[in-house]
mmCIF file with all atom_site columns, all heavy atoms in Angstrom:
data_model
loop_
_atom_site.group_PDB
_atom_site.id
_atom_site.type_symbol
_atom_site.label_atom_id
_atom_site.label_alt_id
_atom_site.label_comp_id
_atom_site.label_asym_id
_atom_site.label_entity_id
_atom_site.label_seq_id
_atom_site.pdbx_PDB_ins_code
_atom_site.Cartn_x
_atom_site.Cartn_y
_atom_site.Cartn_z
_atom_site.occupancy
_atom_site.B_iso_or_equiv
_atom_site.pdbx_formal_charge
_atom_site.auth_seq_id
_atom_site.auth_comp_id
_atom_site.auth_asym_id
_atom_site.auth_atom_id
_atom_site.pdbx_PDB_model_num
ATOM 1   N N   . SER A 1 5   ? -28.314 29.734 121.574 1.00 88.00 ? 13  SER A N   1
ATOM 2   C CA  . SER A 1 5   ? -28.013 28.499 120.708 1.00 88.00 ? 13  SER A CA  1
ATOM 3   C C   . SER A 1 5   ? -27.264 27.421 121.367 1.00 88.00 ? 13  SER A C   1
ATOM 4   O O   . SER A 1 5   ? -27.353 26.313 121.022 1.00 88.00 ? 13  SER A O   1
ATOM 5   C CB  . SER A 1 5   ? -27.425 28.983 119.438 1.00 88.00 ? 13  SER A CB  1
ATOM 6   O OG  . SER A 1 5   ? -26.145 29.476 119.726 1.00 88.00 ? 13  SER A OG  1
ATOM 7   N N   . ARG A 1 30  ? -20.197 38.806 111.481 1.00 95.00 ? 38  ARG A N   1
ATOM 8   C CA  . ARG A 1 30  ? -19.834 37.400 111.480 1.00 95.00 ? 38  ARG A CA  1
ATOM 9   C C   . ARG A 1 30  ? -18.333 37.242 111.420 1.00 95.00 ? 38  ARG A C   1
ATOM 10  O O   . ARG A 1 30  ? -17.841 36.461 112.244 1.00 95.00 ? 38  ARG A O   1
ATOM 11  C CB  . ARG A 1 30  ? -20.495 36.722 110.266 1.00 95.00 ? 38  ARG A CB  1
ATOM 12  C CG  . ARG A 1 30  ? -20.293 35.208 110.130 1.00 95.00 ? 38  ARG A CG  1
ATOM 13  C CD  . ARG A 1 30  ? -19.088 34.937 109.291 1.00 95.00 ? 38  ARG A CD  1
ATOM 14  N NE  . ARG A 1 30  ? -18.688 33.530 109.374 1.00 95.00 ? 38  ARG A NE  1
ATOM 15  C CZ  . ARG A 1 30  ? -17.559 33.112 109.160 1.00 95.00 ? 38  ARG A CZ  1
ATOM 16  N NH1 . ARG A 1 30  ? -16.595 33.805 108.833 1.00 95.00 ? 38  ARG A NH1 1
ATOM 17  N NH2 . ARG A 1 30  ? -17.205 31.795 109.201 1.00 95.00 ? 38  ARG A NH2 1
ATOM 18  N N   . ILE A 1 32  ? -16.069 39.446 112.578 1.00 96.00 ? 40  ILE A N   1
ATOM 19  C CA  . ILE A 1 32  ? -15.464 39.806 113.787 1.00 96.00 ? 40  ILE A CA  1
ATOM 20  C C   . ILE A 1 32  ? -15.590 38.719 114.834 1.00 96.00 ? 40  ILE A C   1
ATOM 21  O O   . ILE A 1 32  ? -14.677 38.313 115.492 1.00 96.00 ? 40  ILE A O   1
ATOM 22  C CB  . ILE A 1 32  ? -16.137 41.120 114.247 1.00 96.00 ? 40  ILE A CB  1
ATOM 23  C CG1 . ILE A 1 32  ? -15.921 42.238 113.433 1.00 96.00 ? 40  ILE A CG1 1
ATOM 24  C CG2 . ILE A 1 32  ? -15.685 41.487 115.708 1.00 96.00 ? 40  ILE A CG2 1
ATOM 25  C CD1 . ILE A 1 32  ? -16.737 43.409 113.560 1.00 96.00 ? 40  ILE A CD1 1
ATOM 26  N N   . ALA A 1 33  ? -16.844 38.117 114.957 1.00 95.00 ? 41  ALA A N   1
ATOM 27  C CA  . ALA A 1 33  ? -17.130 37.138 115.951 1.00 95.00 ? 41  ALA A CA  1
ATOM 28  C C   . ALA A 1 33  ? -16.267 35.825 115.700 1.00 95.00 ? 41  ALA A C   1
ATOM 29  O O   . ALA A 1 33  ? -15.793 35.209 116.620 1.00 95.00 ? 41  ALA A O   1
ATOM 30  C CB  . ALA A 1 33  ? -18.664 36.701 115.949 1.00 95.00 ? 41  ALA A CB  1
ATOM 31  N N   . HIS A 1 34  ? -16.155 35.478 114.362 1.00 95.00 ? 42  HIS A N   1
ATOM 32  C CA  . HIS A 1 34  ? -15.360 34.301 113.994 1.00 95.00 ? 42  HIS A CA  1
ATOM 33  C C   . HIS A 1 34  ? -13.869 34.545 114.424 1.00 95.00 ? 42  HIS A C   1
ATOM 34  O O   . HIS A 1 34  ? -13.234 33.550 114.872 1.00 95.00 ? 42  HIS A O   1
ATOM 35  C CB  . HIS A 1 34  ? -15.430 34.166 112.566 1.00 95.00 ? 42  HIS A CB  1
ATOM 36  C CG  . HIS A 1 34  ? -14.575 32.953 112.041 1.00 95.00 ? 42  HIS A CG  1
ATOM 37  N ND1 . HIS A 1 34  ? -14.891 31.645 112.165 1.00 95.00 ? 42  HIS A ND1 1
ATOM 38  C CD2 . HIS A 1 34  ? -13.505 32.932 111.291 1.00 95.00 ? 42  HIS A CD2 1
ATOM 39  C CE1 . HIS A 1 34  ? -14.081 30.873 111.627 1.00 95.00 ? 42  HIS A CE1 1
ATOM 40  N NE2 . HIS A 1 34  ? -13.088 31.628 111.123 1.00 95.00 ? 42  HIS A NE2 1
ATOM 41  N N   . ILE A 1 36  ? -12.660 36.598 116.940 1.00 94.00 ? 44  ILE A N   1
ATOM 42  C CA  . ILE A 1 36  ? -12.457 36.753 118.343 1.00 94.00 ? 44  ILE A CA  1
ATOM 43  C C   . ILE A 1 36  ? -12.771 35.521 119.122 1.00 94.00 ? 44  ILE A C   1
ATOM 44  O O   . ILE A 1 36  ? -12.469 35.351 120.337 1.00 94.00 ? 44  ILE A O   1
ATOM 45  C CB  . ILE A 1 36  ? -13.121 37.926 118.963 1.00 94.00 ? 44  ILE A CB  1
ATOM 46  C CG1 . ILE A 1 36  ? -14.684 37.800 118.885 1.00 94.00 ? 44  ILE A CG1 1
ATOM 47  C CG2 . ILE A 1 36  ? -12.738 39.189 118.254 1.00 94.00 ? 44  ILE A CG2 1
ATOM 48  C CD1 . ILE A 1 36  ? -15.438 38.952 119.621 1.00 94.00 ? 44  ILE A CD1 1
ATOM 49  N N   . LYS A 1 37  ? -13.480 34.549 118.636 1.00 95.00 ? 45  LYS A N   1
ATOM 50  C CA  . LYS A 1 37  ? -13.928 33.316 119.273 1.00 95.00 ? 45  LYS A CA  1
ATOM 51  C C   . LYS A 1 37  ? -12.727 32.649 119.822 1.00 95.00 ? 45  LYS A C   1
ATOM 52  O O   . LYS A 1 37  ? -11.840 32.348 118.969 1.00 95.00 ? 45  LYS A O   1
ATOM 53  C CB  . LYS A 1 37  ? -14.841 32.456 118.424 1.00 95.00 ? 45  LYS A CB  1
ATOM 54  C CG  . LYS A 1 37  ? -15.372 31.255 119.167 1.00 95.00 ? 45  LYS A CG  1
ATOM 55  C CD  . LYS A 1 37  ? -16.157 30.413 118.246 1.00 95.00 ? 45  LYS A CD  1
ATOM 56  C CE  . LYS A 1 37  ? -16.643 29.148 119.074 1.00 95.00 ? 45  LYS A CE  1
ATOM 57  N NZ  . LYS A 1 37  ? -17.447 28.355 118.301 1.00 95.00 ? 45  LYS A NZ  1
ATOM 58  N N   . GLY A 1 38  ? -12.704 32.316 121.115 1.00 93.00 ? 46  GLY A N   1
ATOM 59  C CA  . GLY A 1 38  ? -11.547 31.556 121.610 1.00 93.00 ? 46  GLY A CA  1
ATOM 60  C C   . GLY A 1 38  ? -10.603 32.470 122.324 1.00 93.00 ? 46  GLY A C   1
ATOM 61  O O   . GLY A 1 38  ? -9.617  31.979 123.059 1.00 93.00 ? 46  GLY A O   1
ATOM 62  N N   . ILE A 1 116 ? -13.554 34.037 125.401 1.00 95.00 ? 124 ILE A N   1
ATOM 63  C CA  . ILE A 1 116 ? -14.868 33.930 124.592 1.00 95.00 ? 124 ILE A CA  1
ATOM 64  C C   . ILE A 1 116 ? -15.087 32.380 124.211 1.00 95.00 ? 124 ILE A C   1
ATOM 65  O O   . ILE A 1 116 ? -14.403 31.993 123.285 1.00 95.00 ? 124 ILE A O   1
ATOM 66  C CB  . ILE A 1 116 ? -14.816 34.920 123.461 1.00 95.00 ? 124 ILE A CB  1
ATOM 67  C CG1 . ILE A 1 116 ? -14.596 36.234 123.981 1.00 95.00 ? 124 ILE A CG1 1
ATOM 68  C CG2 . ILE A 1 116 ? -16.074 34.699 122.629 1.00 95.00 ? 124 ILE A CG2 1
ATOM 69  C CD1 . ILE A 1 116 ? -14.303 37.308 122.875 1.00 95.00 ? 124 ILE A CD1 1
ATOM 70  N N   . SER A 1 117 ? -15.872 31.723 124.996 1.00 93.00 ? 125 SER A N   1
ATOM 71  C CA  . SER A 1 117 ? -16.076 30.260 124.657 1.00 93.00 ? 125 SER A CA  1
ATOM 72  C C   . SER A 1 117 ? -17.155 30.195 123.517 1.00 93.00 ? 125 SER A C   1
ATOM 73  O O   . SER A 1 117 ? -17.143 29.136 122.792 1.00 93.00 ? 125 SER A O   1
ATOM 74  C CB  . SER A 1 117 ? -16.546 29.640 125.866 1.00 93.00 ? 125 SER A CB  1
ATOM 75  O OG  . SER A 1 117 ? -17.770 30.110 126.419 1.00 93.00 ? 125 SER A OG  1
ATOM 76  N N   . HIS A 1 118 ? -17.883 31.167 123.234 1.00 94.00 ? 126 HIS A N   1
ATOM 77  C CA  . HIS A 1 118 ? -19.006 31.064 122.174 1.00 94.00 ? 126 HIS A CA  1
ATOM 78  C C   . HIS A 1 118 ? -19.309 32.349 121.630 1.00 94.00 ? 126 HIS A C   1
ATOM 79  O O   . HIS A 1 118 ? -19.524 33.264 122.373 1.00 94.00 ? 126 HIS A O   1
ATOM 80  C CB  . HIS A 1 118 ? -20.285 30.400 122.757 1.00 94.00 ? 126 HIS A CB  1
ATOM 81  C CG  . HIS A 1 118 ? -21.368 30.449 121.936 1.00 94.00 ? 126 HIS A CG  1
ATOM 82  N ND1 . HIS A 1 118 ? -21.595 29.531 120.821 1.00 94.00 ? 126 HIS A ND1 1
ATOM 83  C CD2 . HIS A 1 118 ? -22.636 31.129 121.868 1.00 94.00 ? 126 HIS A CD2 1
ATOM 84  C CE1 . HIS A 1 118 ? -22.599 29.789 120.249 1.00 94.00 ? 126 HIS A CE1 1
ATOM 85  N NE2 . HIS A 1 118 ? -23.244 30.718 120.784 1.00 94.00 ? 126 HIS A NE2 1
ATOM 86  N N   . ALA A 1 119 ? -19.272 32.506 120.325 1.00 95.00 ? 127 ALA A N   1
ATOM 87  C CA  . ALA A 1 119 ? -19.574 33.714 119.693 1.00 95.00 ? 127 ALA A CA  1
ATOM 88  C C   . ALA A 1 119 ? -20.386 33.367 118.336 1.00 95.00 ? 127 ALA A C   1
ATOM 89  O O   . ALA A 1 119 ? -19.729 32.705 117.604 1.00 95.00 ? 127 ALA A O   1
ATOM 90  C CB  . ALA A 1 119 ? -18.385 34.624 119.359 1.00 95.00 ? 127 ALA A CB  1
ATOM 91  N N   . GLN A 1 120 ? -21.567 33.813 118.193 1.00 95.00 ? 128 GLN A N   1
ATOM 92  C CA  . GLN A 1 120 ? -22.412 33.566 117.113 1.00 95.00 ? 128 GLN A CA  1
ATOM 93  C C   . GLN A 1 120 ? -23.065 34.703 116.666 1.00 95.00 ? 128 GLN A C   1
ATOM 94  O O   . GLN A 1 120 ? -23.576 35.509 117.420 1.00 95.00 ? 128 GLN A O   1
ATOM 95  C CB  . GLN A 1 120 ? -23.406 32.384 117.542 1.00 95.00 ? 128 GLN A CB  1
ATOM 96  C CG  . GLN A 1 120 ? -24.224 31.981 116.350 1.00 95.00 ? 128 GLN A CG  1
ATOM 97  C CD  . GLN A 1 120 ? -25.156 30.731 116.807 1.00 95.00 ? 128 GLN A CD  1
ATOM 98  O OE1 . GLN A 1 120 ? -24.626 29.791 117.357 1.00 95.00 ? 128 GLN A OE1 1
ATOM 99  N NE2 . GLN A 1 120 ? -26.296 30.825 116.370 1.00 95.00 ? 128 GLN A NE2 1
ATOM 100 N N   . VAL A 1 121 ? -23.223 34.743 115.252 1.00 95.00 ? 129 VAL A N   1
ATOM 101 C CA  . VAL A 1 121 ? -24.043 35.794 114.695 1.00 95.00 ? 129 VAL A CA  1
ATOM 102 C C   . VAL A 1 121 ? -25.040 35.222 113.740 1.00 95.00 ? 129 VAL A C   1
ATOM 103 O O   . VAL A 1 121 ? -24.715 34.385 112.868 1.00 95.00 ? 129 VAL A O   1
ATOM 104 C CB  . VAL A 1 121 ? -23.102 36.779 113.933 1.00 95.00 ? 129 VAL A CB  1
ATOM 105 C CG1 . VAL A 1 121 ? -23.897 37.885 113.206 1.00 95.00 ? 129 VAL A CG1 1
ATOM 106 C CG2 . VAL A 1 121 ? -21.990 37.387 114.832 1.00 95.00 ? 129 VAL A CG2 1
ATOM 107 N N   . ILE A 1 148 ? -26.577 38.911 117.662 1.00 96.00 ? 156 ILE A N   1
ATOM 108 C CA  . ILE A 1 148 ? -25.175 38.511 118.096 1.00 96.00 ? 156 ILE A CA  1
ATOM 109 C C   . ILE A 1 148 ? -25.382 37.928 119.515 1.00 96.00 ? 156 ILE A C   1
ATOM 110 O O   . ILE A 1 148 ? -26.020 38.520 120.352 1.00 96.00 ? 156 ILE A O   1
ATOM 111 C CB  . ILE A 1 148 ? -24.236 39.694 118.079 1.00 96.00 ? 156 ILE A CB  1
ATOM 112 C CG1 . ILE A 1 148 ? -24.248 40.391 116.767 1.00 96.00 ? 156 ILE A CG1 1
ATOM 113 C CG2 . ILE A 1 148 ? -22.877 39.239 118.511 1.00 96.00 ? 156 ILE A CG2 1
ATOM 114 C CD1 . ILE A 1 148 ? -23.458 41.667 116.821 1.00 96.00 ? 156 ILE A CD1 1
ATOM 115 N N   . GLU A 1 149 ? -24.712 36.828 119.786 1.00 96.00 ? 157 GLU A N   1
ATOM 116 C CA  . GLU A 1 149 ? -24.684 36.355 121.188 1.00 96.00 ? 157 GLU A CA  1
ATOM 117 C C   . GLU A 1 149 ? -23.144 35.982 121.488 1.00 96.00 ? 157 GLU A C   1
ATOM 118 O O   . GLU A 1 149 ? -22.428 35.384 120.636 1.00 96.00 ? 157 GLU A O   1
ATOM 119 C CB  . GLU A 1 149 ? -25.599 35.142 121.379 1.00 96.00 ? 157 GLU A CB  1
ATOM 120 C CG  . GLU A 1 149 ? -25.391 33.974 120.526 1.00 96.00 ? 157 GLU A CG  1
ATOM 121 C CD  . GLU A 1 149 ? -26.465 32.932 120.661 1.00 96.00 ? 157 GLU A CD  1
ATOM 122 O OE1 . GLU A 1 149 ? -27.592 33.220 120.708 1.00 96.00 ? 157 GLU A OE1 1
ATOM 123 O OE2 . GLU A 1 149 ? -26.123 31.837 120.774 1.00 96.00 ? 157 GLU A OE2 1
ATOM 124 N N   . LEU A 1 150 ? -22.775 36.299 122.786 1.00 95.00 ? 158 LEU A N   1
ATOM 125 C CA  . LEU A 1 150 ? -21.523 35.988 123.233 1.00 95.00 ? 158 LEU A CA  1
ATOM 126 C C   . LEU A 1 150 ? -21.657 35.161 124.569 1.00 95.00 ? 158 LEU A C   1
ATOM 127 O O   . LEU A 1 150 ? -22.581 35.501 125.371 1.00 95.00 ? 158 LEU A O   1
ATOM 128 C CB  . LEU A 1 150 ? -20.602 37.222 123.505 1.00 95.00 ? 158 LEU A CB  1
ATOM 129 C CG  . LEU A 1 150 ? -20.289 38.146 122.422 1.00 95.00 ? 158 LEU A CG  1
ATOM 130 C CD1 . LEU A 1 150 ? -19.593 39.345 122.813 1.00 95.00 ? 158 LEU A CD1 1
ATOM 131 C CD2 . LEU A 1 150 ? -19.440 37.432 121.381 1.00 95.00 ? 158 LEU A CD2 1
ATOM 132 N N   . ILE A 1 151 ? -20.728 34.297 124.851 1.00 94.00 ? 159 ILE A N   1
ATOM 133 C CA  . ILE A 1 151 ? -20.730 33.523 126.118 1.00 94.00 ? 159 ILE A CA  1
ATOM 134 C C   . ILE A 1 151 ? -19.256 33.549 126.543 1.00 94.00 ? 159 ILE A C   1
ATOM 135 O O   . ILE A 1 151 ? -18.381 33.056 125.732 1.00 94.00 ? 159 ILE A O   1
ATOM 136 C CB  . ILE A 1 151 ? -21.318 32.074 126.035 1.00 94.00 ? 159 ILE A CB  1
ATOM 137 C CG1 . ILE A 1 151 ? -22.739 32.150 125.605 1.00 94.00 ? 159 ILE A CG1 1
ATOM 138 C CG2 . ILE A 1 151 ? -21.092 31.479 127.404 1.00 94.00 ? 159 ILE A CG2 1
ATOM 139 C CD1 . ILE A 1 151 ? -23.372 30.865 125.566 1.00 94.00 ? 159 ILE A CD1 1
#
Side-chain angles (χ1 to χ4, degrees):
S13 62
R38 185 266 169 202
I40 295 165
H42 178 75
I44 66 171
K45 185 178 176 182
I124 300 169
S125 58
H126 173 73
Q128 180 173 316
V129 179
I156 308 172
E157 59 184 50
L158 299 175
I159 298 178

